[in-house]
Amino acid sequence: MKKQNNLMDVQAINDDKKLLIAAQLPHNDRFQMKKIEKKLTKQVEKQFPDREITLSLDKKIHLEIKDLKEQLAKGKLVNKKLKKEIDRIIKLSKEKT
């Protein structure tokens, strides 16, 4: 996904039902964010039809996922806590500020 769509960085995390993806766009592509987000979401939904997909191009969500992955790698999260954190980040990504 990163190479195909000229993205700077992609972070993703999932549980058994949900897939949360955050990507960073090059600065010049920020003007077409909605169009790119829609295109990427369609691509991911094709690849993972059995999961609930949430895709965000927000830097804040990108950092949240990165932190969550680091905690997971260190063994600080159990499955129940992971699901709760994924739900929290999804809710955060849907907020409009």
Side-chain angles (χ1 to χ4, degrees), residues 24-39:
Q24 285 186 311
L25 293 173
H27 188 69
N28 295 341
D29 292 341
R30 294 291 230 185
F31 298 110
Q32 301 171 345
M33 253 172 89
K34 290 292 180 189
K35 181 180 170 185
I36 294 170
E37 189 170 3
K38 193 173 183 178
K39 176 185 159 195

Side-chain angles (χ1 to χ4, degrees), residues 1-10 43:
M1 190 168 122
K2 185 177 176 180
K3 288 181 183 178
Q4 181 181 8
N5 296 297
N6 193 30
L7 300 173
M8 291 172 34
D9 191 27
V10 176
Q43 283 180 359

Side-chain angles (χ1 to χ4, degrees), residues 29 50 82:
D29 292 341
D50 59 330
L82 176 65

Side-chain angles (χ1 to χ4, degrees), residues 22 57-65 89 92 95 97:
L57 299 176
D58 189 354
K59 177 80 170 168
K60 182 177 177 183
I61 303 303
H62 185 268
L63 292 173
E64 289 280 340
I65 293 174
I89 296 171
L92 189 66
E95 287 180 0
T97 55

Side-chain angles (χ1 to χ4, degrees), residues 63-76:
L63 292 173
E64 289 280 340
I65 293 174
K66 193 172 184 179
D67 289 342
L68 191 59
K69 285 175 69 174
E70 287 173 6
Q71 289 179 16
L72 194 60
K74 292 178 183 176
K76 292 183 178 181

